Amino acid sequence: MEPQATPILVQLLGAELRHLRERRGMTLEEVCEPLGWSTSKLSRVETARVVASQEDVIRLLDAYQASSLERRRLLALAQHQTRRPRRRSRPGVHPDGFVSFLDAEAIAESVNQWSLNVVPGLLQTEAYARHLLTSWRLIDPTLTPRVVEDRLATRMKRQELVKSQPPPWYTIILDESVLLRSYGGARIMSEQLDKLLKISEEDNNVSIRIFPLAHGHVLAEESFMLLKLGVGDRRVVYLEHGPNSQVFLDDEPAHLYQQMFHELSKGTLSEAASRDVILKHRNSTLRG
């Protein structure tokens, strides 16, 4: 079976090709006439209404006299847009926004994440994740045990990305309140905090920084992820609000959230001091 085009990557490729044309100061007509294309064909490529073939991308890059770096990035993106999707479960298990996020995450070279309420999925133990997912059944009776298990399997599978080669770089800022908020009881929380300590100590590509309660928040911003993709030199913003999620591809929100993350970073503890705080709360949890 042929792999399906990945919508978010088709959008990214179209946007990158449009930006490249605009940087060259070329109109649709100026590009299409020597190629023998209709302007509607190129317009549909740029707006992600059709999937550009590798051959079409090469012809466009030739027309734009693209640099070697531009060619490498856009051809890689063209190849990835029709790769066989990974970490998929049954249709309808995840919201569309989350499915798009998975496609972007799979080719991210770095991730900056701010988490205000829970330990991020990439760092969760199976028990902690299961408790969070099962809790949604209290307000969503359509969330069947099978869907919970599918979502749990996806979350655990995502954690393989941390160990992939070459490994993406993760910088994760946790509000200290995340360490205090007990999900599933003392045993589950102590195991979860142990996992945070282990990752912080052993995984060189993961930086866990604590934003202490004693430090006043400069920004009252909900949790978010900012992904820098390994192709196209593009940043993607991912927001998750309960059962809903959103993915932003535009430069403006990416720049805004990059600035937010920078400001939040100013108030964090060092990695060593963050481990001390995690250990303190882990010992407190064990004492009950």
Side-chain angles (χ1 to χ4, degrees):
M1 184 176 66
E2 290 296 320
Q4 298 296 308
T6 303
I8 191 172
L9 301 186
V10 176
Q11 292 177 52
L12 287 172
L13 178 60
E16 291 292 331
L17 289 170
R18 184 182 73 252
H19 290 162
L20 185 57
R21 175 177 62 80
E22 291 172 347
R23 286 198 297 271
R24 298 298 188 266
M26 301 176 71
T27 65
L28 292 173
E29 291 78 10
E30 289 171 335
V31 176
C32 292
E33 185 175 351
L35 294 178
W37 292 5
S38 66
T39 56
S40 63
K41 174 178 178 176
L42 181 53
S43 177
R44 289 195 300 271
V45 167
E46 292 183 350
T47 56
R49 285 178 288 171
V50 297
V51 180
S53 68
Q54 195 89 351
E55 180 183 353
D56 284 346
V57 173
I58 291 172
R59 295 184 71 187
L60 288 171
L61 293 174
D62 290 342
Y64 301 146
Q65 297 183 340
S67 68
S68 59
L69 178 59
E70 289 168 335
R71 294 182 72 91
R72 185 164 62 251
R73 286 174 172 170
L74 291 178
L75 287 174
L77 189 52
Q79 181 180 13
H80 276 82
Q81 71 175 342
T82 53
R83 80 192 194 287
R84 191 171 301 282
R86 297 184 297 170
R87 298 173 286 116
R88 285 288 192 267
S89 56
R90 293 180 297 107
V93 169
H94 299 290
D96 290 343
F98 183 73
V99 173
S100 293
F101 159 73
L102 289 178
D103 291 320
E105 184 186 52
I107 60 170
E109 64 180 24
S110 67
V111 178
N112 290 341
Q113 183 166 12
W114 156 244
S115 188
L116 180 62
N117 301 305
V118 298
V119 173
L122 285 170
L123 308 179
Q124 291 174 6
T125 65
E126 184 172 338
Y128 184 94
R130 186 187 300 278
H131 179 82
L132 293 177
L133 292 168
T134 303
S135 295
W136 275 107
R137 298 186 65 203
L138 297 173
I139 58 175
D140 183 3
T142 67
L143 192 63
T144 66
R146 184 178 180 184
V147 170
V148 168
E149 290 304 314
D150 276 0
R151 292 186 179 182
L152 178 64
T154 299
R155 187 167 300 185
M156 294 298 101
K157 187 71 173 177
R158 281 177 59 213
Q159 296 185 6
E160 295 178 3
L161 290 171
V162 179
K163 305 290 187 181
S164 62
Q165 295 298 326
W169 178 258
Y170 293 93
T171 303
I172 299 170
I173 301 177
L174 293 180
D175 191 84
E176 188 178 356
S177 62
V178 172
L179 310 178
L180 293 164
R181 192 170 290 112
S182 180
Y183 289 107
R187 182 182 62 81
I188 288 178
M189 281 305 300
S190 63
E191 289 177 353
Q192 178 60 75
L193 297 183
D194 277 338
K195 180 166 183 172
L196 291 181
L197 287 170
K198 180 179 176 65
I199 292 173
S200 179
E201 291 168 351
E202 297 181 2
D203 291 354
N204 294 329
N205 60 312
V206 181
S207 175
I208 300 175
R209 310 287 288 269
I210 301 300
F211 193 102
L213 289 172
H215 193 297
H217 276 248
V218 177
L219 301 169
E221 179 54 43
E222 291 296 322
S223 304
F224 63 86
M225 293 180 73
L226 184 66
L227 300 86
K228 184 179 184 299
L229 304 188
V231 295
D233 195 29
R234 179 63 71 107
R235 285 177 169 79
V236 172
V237 176
Y238 175 69
L239 305 178
E240 185 171 8
H241 304 290
N244 301 314
S245 54
Q246 293 176 285
V247 177
F248 296 94
L249 308 180
D250 297 334
D251 291 336
E252 186 174 344
H255 177 73
L256 177 65
Y257 279 94
Q258 183 65 53
Q259 291 298 107
M260 289 183 188
F261 192 81
H262 177 69
E263 289 300 321
L264 288 165
S265 297
K266 294 178 182 179
T268 63
L269 302 175
S270 67
E271 290 185 44
S274 294
R275 283 192 288 271
D276 290 341
V277 171
I278 296 170
L279 180 60
K280 179 187 74 172
H281 289 301
R282 182 260 187 191
N283 291 338
S284 177
T285 298
L286 286 176
R287 290 195 296 269

